[in-house]
Amino acid sequence: MAKASQRAPVLGPAFIRLLARLKDDAASHTAPDVSERLAQWFDWNRAITLSRALDNPPPEAPQGAAFSPAQDAECARTRSALSDAIHADIDLSPPRNAPPVETLAQAEFAPYRQHYLKRQRAMQTSTGNLRGRLRDMLARQSAAKARLAEVDAVMEATLSPREHALLSNVPALLGLHFERLYNSNTIPAPDADPSETPTAATGPWLATFRQDLRIALLAELDVRFHPIEGLLAALRTR
């Protein structure tokens, strides 16, 4: 008898492995294929732009303030604040102007989706501002570091739109994960009306989902801080 094929383990950062696990758990053909599409970042035009940034003579570096531990502390404070917000209690009140739902599970998931999107926006804004300030500081240290800052700017312009588009699919993937857990652990009333406000879902499965949601946000926070950590490392070197 032929053996059932097994999916090869997904290698890579924790965030990619987590998304692959959630996708497998959801077992839905409509699940956004985030984990596989994360590798599709560059086209030829973007590659040429990056090559020019690498090949061109480094720009003259204007004189600026030297790096100090204050920048490390600011980055640490920002990351800590974002992490604390991820661990904070989730507001389970129904979102305003929420899109219509077809199932009780979708209605129950709506506050979690709103929470994830809010945390995503906060991460994107805070890390984007930090990255820009650190890059400007790096460009003022030396010609070689100015080139590195230029390359980072090209990388951000190249990858950020694609990163945003792919990460925006994560709430939908978590929604499929939530719906699977909900349907496996909740027995709705036979005459339940999806348009009515459902009773709160409860049970150990919900604690599991909430933990998965926080793990996903923390893993995304790690991904968003990778370029910041790289800039900090460059700024510390002489």
Side-chain angles (χ1 to χ4, degrees):
M1 186 190 319
K3 293 183 179 179
S5 61
Q6 295 182 346
R7 179 169 179 160
V10 177
L11 304 179
F15 187 53
I16 307 303
R17 297 197 301 272
L18 174 65
L19 295 181
R21 176 175 66 81
L22 293 179
K23 183 193 171 191
D24 286 344
D25 288 347
S28 170
H29 292 295
T30 61
D33 202 7
V34 183
S35 59
E36 294 179 9
R37 293 173 58 199
L38 277 173
Q40 301 173 6
W41 295 98
F42 285 95
D43 58 25
W44 282 107
N45 290 332
R46 299 295 188 181
I48 291 172
T49 303
L50 178 59
S51 176
R52 287 173 179 169
L54 291 170
D55 293 340
N56 288 340
E60 291 294 330
Q63 294 297 319
F67 179 73
S68 74
Q71 282 75 42
D72 266 325
E74 180 186 1
C75 291
R77 283 194 301 268
T78 299
R79 182 163 189 161
S80 179
L82 292 170
S83 179
D84 288 346
I86 290 171
H87 284 100
D89 289 338
I90 299 173
D91 181 5
L92 296 180
S93 57
R96 295 181 179 180
N97 303 320
V101 297
E102 298 179 357
T103 66
L104 292 175
Q106 291 174 359
E108 291 278 6
F109 174 68
Y112 296 101
R113 179 179 182 275
Q114 177 178 252
H115 175 80
Y116 200 99
L117 292 173
K118 185 177 181 179
R119 299 278 68 82
Q120 270 193 325
R121 288 192 293 268
M123 284 191 284
Q124 182 178 6
T125 300
S126 297
T127 57
N129 291 338
L130 272 180
R131 187 174 182 178
R133 290 200 297 272
L134 293 176
R135 188 166 56 230
D136 290 344
M137 188 175 300
L138 186 68
R140 295 194 296 268
Q141 283 196 343
S142 70
K145 290 186 178 183
R147 167 179 278 176
L148 180 58
E150 183 183 6
V151 169
D152 182 74
V154 173
M155 293 291 287
E156 183 176 21
T158 300
L159 303 184
S160 289
R162 195 135 203 176
E163 177 185 81
H164 177 75
L166 293 179
L167 292 179
S168 66
N169 287 327
V170 177
L173 189 59
L174 283 167
L176 293 172
H177 180 49
F178 180 93
E179 192 164 2
R180 182 188 65 82
L181 292 172
Y182 182 97
N183 292 335
S184 299
N185 294 275
T186 306
I187 302 176
D191 56 349
D193 184 350
S195 64
E196 295 179 354
T197 302
T199 57
T202 58
W205 69 269
L206 185 58
T208 298
F209 172 77
R210 290 166 70 98
Q211 181 65 10
D212 284 340
L213 182 145
R214 289 192 172 100
I215 290 172
L217 282 169
L218 291 171
E220 183 174 332
L221 182 61
D222 283 340
V223 170
R224 291 183 182 274
F225 260 84
H226 284 165
I228 292 172
E229 290 167 354
L231 290 171
L232 284 171
L235 282 163
R236 294 187 198 104
T237 61
R238 294 183 180 274

